[in-house]
Amino acid sequence: AYAGAYRQGRFAVVRISRSGDHLAVKQGTQDLGDLYPASDRDWFFTASPARLSFQVGADGTPTAFVRHANDADTSVPRISAAEAKQIADELATKVKNKIQDPATEAALRRTIEELRAGKPDYERMSPNLANDARLQRADMQTMLTEFGAVKSIAFKGVGPAGADIYDVVFDNHATEWRLLLGADGKTESIGLTIPP
């Protein structure tokens, strides 16, 4: 009954399928591992400390799972096969045509300045990203202070997961950033690459 598609983010669809006495979990082409039952609704991964708890409606049909990992609980709603296809098609179009989200550049500029000041706005981030940002706040502040002021930001393209890619040149360093906004306008993911 738990097999199906679940939406974990703007473009992230988790697919759960039955495999013998357990469940197999994938996101896109990435194998996330095998799930085994601890109880009827609580399942655990063998290769990860993360756990999933399935939620069901009054009729017993699964409506979502809650992912328990890194001291955070994230609810991931179940979606239909048609919705999963629509999300995949939207992502494919965005990547192929390099369609820039018009809100990501402003979000990136704001986030860089907040990180440099050591005062990230966690309310503008997804729960998982906010947890990661709290752990890395001091290191990011030190690094961005050393980089200096932002000289230029240029849109470069779209990554395979749908994040907009930007070349950001600081006074003392050139960098590449990837930022994805969720449907709710919150930053879903952000990544920084420092070329050698």
Side-chain angles (χ1 to χ4, degrees), residues 87-169:
I87 293 167
D89 291 346
E90 182 183 350
L91 173 60
T93 299
K94 178 173 171 54
V95 172
K96 179 181 177 185
N97 298 323
K98 299 181 180 179
I99 300 171
Q100 178 185 18
D101 182 326
T104 53
E105 183 175 339
L108 178 59
R109 288 181 182 274
R110 182 184 65 247
T111 301
I112 288 172
E113 291 313 312
E114 289 172 356
L115 291 170
R116 184 197 320 277
K119 298 178 180 178
D121 186 349
Y122 301 117
E123 294 300 314
R124 290 181 184 251
M125 302 177 188
S126 69
N128 287 337
L129 180 60
N131 284 340
D132 291 344
R134 285 184 180 94
L135 296 173
Q136 300 174 26
R137 184 185 59 77
D139 291 340
M140 289 298 294
Q141 181 180 15
T142 300
M143 182 174 59
L144 290 173
T145 301
E146 292 171 357
F147 283 178
V150 173
K151 293 172 66 176
S152 66
I153 295 182
F155 176 70
K156 185 176 178 180
V158 177
D164 286 355
I165 305 171
Y166 290 92
D167 282 329
V168 181
V169 178

Side-chain angles (χ1 to χ4, degrees), residues 11-183:
F11 297 117
V13 174
V14 174
R15 295 184 186 277
I16 297 178
S17 60
R18 185 172 177 170
S19 179
D21 65 345
H22 63 279
L23 298 173
V25 185
K26 285 191 171 186
Q27 182 175 320
T29 59
Q30 183 182 6
D31 184 1
L32 299 182
D34 294 331
L35 274 176
Y36 290 88
S39 68
D40 184 39
R41 293 190 187 166
D42 297 314
W43 294 65
F44 64 92
F45 288 96
T46 54
S48 155
R51 296 175 296 109
L52 300 185
S53 298
F54 289 93
Q55 298 176 328
V56 298
D59 62 355
T61 302
T63 57
F65 68 73
V66 176
R67 182 176 181 268
H68 310 282
N70 303 322
D71 297 324
D73 294 339
T74 307
S75 182
V76 181
R78 186 172 182 157
I79 58 175
S80 68
E83 289 171 307
K85 183 181 182 314
Q86 181 180 352
I87 293 167
D89 291 346
E90 182 183 350
L91 173 60
T93 299
K94 178 173 171 54
V95 172
K96 179 181 177 185
N97 298 323
K98 299 181 180 179
I99 300 171
Q100 178 185 18
D101 182 326
T104 53
E105 183 175 339
L108 178 59
R109 288 181 182 274
R110 182 184 65 247
T111 301
I112 288 172
E113 291 313 312
E114 289 172 356
L115 291 170
R116 184 197 320 277
K119 298 178 180 178
D121 186 349
Y122 301 117
E123 294 300 314
R124 290 181 184 251
M125 302 177 188
S126 69
N128 287 337
L129 180 60
N131 284 340
D132 291 344
R134 285 184 180 94
L135 296 173
Q136 300 174 26
R137 184 185 59 77
D139 291 340
M140 289 298 294
Q141 181 180 15
T142 300
M143 182 174 59
L144 290 173
T145 301
E146 292 171 357
F147 283 178
V150 173
K151 293 172 66 176
S152 66
I153 295 182
F155 176 70
K156 185 176 178 180
V158 177
D164 286 355
I165 305 171
Y166 290 92
D167 282 329
V168 181
V169 178
F170 295 86
D171 284 335
N172 304 317
H173 227 299
T175 61
E176 180 185 279
W177 294 71
R178 293 178 183 231
L179 187 138
L180 176 64
L181 293 178

